[in-house]
Amino acid sequence: NVDLLPANIELSALEVTMGNVMSRELIMKEYIEAVRTEYDYILIDCMPSLGLMTINALVAADSVLIPVQAAYLPVKGLIHTIAMVKKRLNRQLIFEGILLTMVDFRTNYAKDVAGKVREAYGEKIEIFDTVIPMSVKAAETSAEGVSIFSHCLNGKVAKAYETIAKEVLRNEE
């Protein structure tokens, strides 16, 4: 009971063609609104950039979950952009929380960054308890074009994604 609408390389040209379109930030929202009642959840996965497609996704969204590698600066820029979208284009947008990904807690750097992210944003935005650990198995999924659940169902990354899904659903209640 899942519909998947995958992207391809041709989507990258869309930002160029949308450059002169009126109300270009609202295009995805119009399409989402047309099918919203047919789904319990609509997940929009964006590339890690702050381009027009990401802005469209934020305008169309009810809430945003921010997956970020354990690095402080990317979080800061993204949160600023989301705040601007919320202020100007989508006042109902809710911060679901920050999810630390590709975390290698064997390193002091990852521990320090995770601590700094929690310190800087933890009072304003939920920082999920669940973290997605660094794993070669996760990297292999991209090369193979399969989900982590198909590739390594009992691995630590699959377990972490299952846990974060449950955590998000609990927060919704």
Side-chain angles (χ1 to χ4, degrees):
N1 293 327
V2 174
D3 290 330
L4 179 65
L5 184 62
N8 62 35
I9 193 66
E10 294 173 18
L11 188 60
S12 62
L14 188 61
E15 291 208 19
V16 174
T17 61
M18 289 173 51
N20 294 322
V21 175
M22 187 172 293
S23 301
R24 62 185 172 262
E25 298 88 1
L26 304 174
I27 293 171
M28 188 181 298
K29 181 178 179 134
E30 291 175 14
Y31 284 99
I32 297 286
E33 290 301 322
V35 298
R36 182 181 289 268
T37 58
E38 298 175 33
Y39 296 94
D40 295 325
Y41 296 95
I42 298 174
L43 304 177
I44 306 168
D45 185 17
C46 299
M47 61 185 153
S49 74
L50 298 176
L52 193 51
M53 292 302 294
T54 302
I55 300 299
N56 260 268
L58 292 170
V59 171
D62 297 325
S63 65
V64 58
L65 184 149
I66 307 165
V68 66
Q69 290 183 24
Y72 179 72
L73 291 176
V75 176
K76 187 175 183 179
L78 186 56
I79 288 174
H80 175 73
T81 300
I82 293 168
M84 294 305 294
V85 168
K86 181 177 174 73
K87 180 179 178 183
R88 296 187 178 155
L89 297 167
N90 183 356
R91 294 194 187 275
Q92 288 74 43
L93 185 63
I94 296 167
F95 282 95
E96 192 79 37
I98 296 172
L99 172 64
L100 294 171
T101 64
M102 298 178 70
V103 178
D104 185 353
F105 278 117
R106 297 173 301 174
T107 68
N108 288 331
Y109 177 74
K111 291 175 192 172
D112 290 346
V113 169
K116 286 180 182 176
V117 168
R118 290 182 193 285
E119 183 180 308
Y121 300 107
E123 290 184 20
K124 298 176 223 153
I125 302 171
E126 178 174 358
I127 312 296
F128 289 103
D129 294 330
T130 305
V131 298
I132 307 300
M134 178 71 78
S135 169
V136 172
K137 293 286 186 193
E140 291 170 354
T141 62
S142 294
E144 294 181 18
V146 297
S147 80
I148 190 66
F149 299 103
S150 297
H151 183 67
C152 189
L153 178 61
N154 295 315
K156 61 184 180 180
V157 174
K159 297 290 185 201
Y161 276 113
E162 183 179 342
T163 303
I164 190 61
K166 290 176 183 175
E167 191 174 346
V168 169
L169 290 172
R170 268 195 312 274
N171 288 350
E172 189 177 291
E173 295 172 350

